[in-house]
Amino acid sequence: LTNKEYDVLLMCQAFARHLLGEQLYEEATKALEKHRTLESSGKGFSSGNIASFMPGTIDYTPHEGCMRKLLQALDENLVCRVTYRGLGAKKAKKFNIMPLKMFSHHETVYLNARWANGEHNKKDPSRYDPLLAVHRIKGIELTDERFEYPKNYDFEKIYNMHFGIMSDEKFEVVAEFNEEAAAYVAERTWSPDQKITKHGSDGIRITFSASSEPELISWILSFGDKAKLIEPKELAKQVKAIAENVCRAY
């Protein structure tokens, strides 16, 4: 490794600390330290120069065993038997999946998969692919059954083409932001097709595509009175109703 490559790995390791758990993070640290002892020049910055902000993140230490099994299943195309308890579910369910991609989003690690052995078969199975939060997997067994990785699977087209991790029917969003919220929104990409124009003296209007109504509503509300949802009108009504309920709570 060159010094620049080593520095980049140090940065990746530090930024991903909260997604790895203690043991996986320690292994990454040891691997980098081994290289440092073999590198003669001693140049490059210390891991003490970079860090992760931890409050509000999930502790993945109890889930390291699950993540290791998932990595093996992803590498060997193994069908998994998982026990999963979804958010708000009263009890866990068991089912077989074909794991396709593990990824991070908003400080959380997810697994995108497809049903194995015809489980939960629908008219359009691709729309109902299971998306599992790794920390909600209560148990996982690797089977001896291997699957052929689907040639039509394209992670980028499923998740990186519009706003929202929940993949449903795509719809167009129009929203207005002002003051610091406008600057925050304008410096980020929310969907590849987004269009931003100036609105008023210190605001912007943004148009983009989304696929998750609940996520969009939460996102708009997170900006308080610095944001206004214009389209879809039906969702704008929902935002207004929620805002009124918040007022009543206070």
Side-chain angles (χ1 to χ4, degrees):
L1 292 175
T2 65
N3 285 325
K4 288 184 178 180
E5 291 169 340
Y6 178 78
D7 290 346
V8 171
L9 286 177
L10 266 181
M11 186 170 61
C12 292
Q13 174 230 20
F15 289 171
R17 177 182 177 184
H18 58 292
L19 298 172
L20 293 174
E22 290 182 7
Q23 189 172 345
L24 290 175
Y25 178 76
E26 200 59 39
E27 289 182 13
T29 302
K30 288 181 180 179
L32 289 170
E33 288 176 347
K34 286 179 182 178
H35 168 75
R36 176 61 81 187
T37 59
L38 295 173
E39 215 285 308
S40 58
S41 70
K43 296 179 180 179
F45 56 78
S46 164
S47 59
N49 299 121
I50 44 182
S52 278
F53 183 75
M54 304 296 286
T57 59
I58 297 168
D59 181 10
Y60 279 95
T61 303
H63 310 287
E64 288 169 355
C66 174
M67 294 175 74
R68 289 183 189 278
K69 287 184 178 181
L70 286 175
L71 288 172
Q72 181 182 347
L74 288 164
D75 183 52
E76 301 178 16
N77 289 354
L78 295 175
V79 171
C80 300
R81 180 73 172 171
V82 298
T83 303
Y84 187 79
R85 184 176 181 180
L87 184 65
K90 294 183 178 180
K91 60 180 182 179
K93 296 181 179 180
K94 290 186 177 182
F95 43 83
N96 293 336
I97 59 167
M98 300 181 291
L100 302 180
K101 184 79 70 173
M102 188 158 56
F103 65 98
S104 65
H105 174 67
H106 285 182
E107 318 301 330
T108 306
V109 179
Y110 292 93
L111 176 72
N112 190 214
R114 286 189 177 177
W115 305 112
N117 306 324
E119 292 189 45
H120 297 265
N121 188 28
K122 305 284 185 179
K123 290 182 179 180
D124 183 9
S126 63
R127 284 195 57 202
Y128 299 91
D129 291 344
L131 177 64
L132 310 178
V134 169
H135 66 281
R136 297 193 186 114
I137 297 178
K138 303 304 179 183
I140 180 170
E141 304 170 35
L142 302 185
T143 71
D144 295 329
E145 182 182 354
R146 296 181 184 273
F147 65 91
E148 184 176 347
Y149 200 89
K151 295 180 181 179
N152 64 342
Y153 179 76
D154 190 331
F155 175 82
E156 295 299 320
K157 288 185 178 180
I158 297 173
Y159 289 105
N160 285 331
M161 296 302 292
H162 40 66
F163 177 93
I165 193 173
M166 304 302 293
S167 185
D168 208 335
E169 294 291 338
K170 187 174 75 170
F171 57 92
E172 185 178 86
V173 177
V174 180
E176 295 173 354
F177 298 86
N178 57 59
E179 299 180 23
E180 64 271 15
Y184 176 90
V185 171
E187 64 189 9
R188 288 165 169 78
T189 300
W190 305 100
S191 73
D193 62 351
Q194 72 182 34
K195 296 178 182 179
I196 298 177
T197 57
K198 287 186 177 180
H199 182 74
S201 59
D202 63 351
I204 64 166
R205 172 176 283 214
I206 182 172
T207 302
F208 62 95
S209 59
S211 64
S212 174
E213 294 183 358
E215 288 176 79
L216 177 67
I217 290 173
S218 295
W219 181 68
I220 290 291
L221 289 169
S222 71
F223 294 98
D225 62 354
K226 303 296 188 295
K228 181 179 180 180
L229 182 61
I230 308 299
E231 298 284 350
K233 294 188 183 301
E234 192 57 41
L235 294 189
K237 292 179 181 178
Q238 292 184 38
V239 171
K240 180 181 178 181
I242 293 171
E244 290 172 347
N245 287 337
V246 171
C247 289
R248 280 193 284 270
Y250 288 91

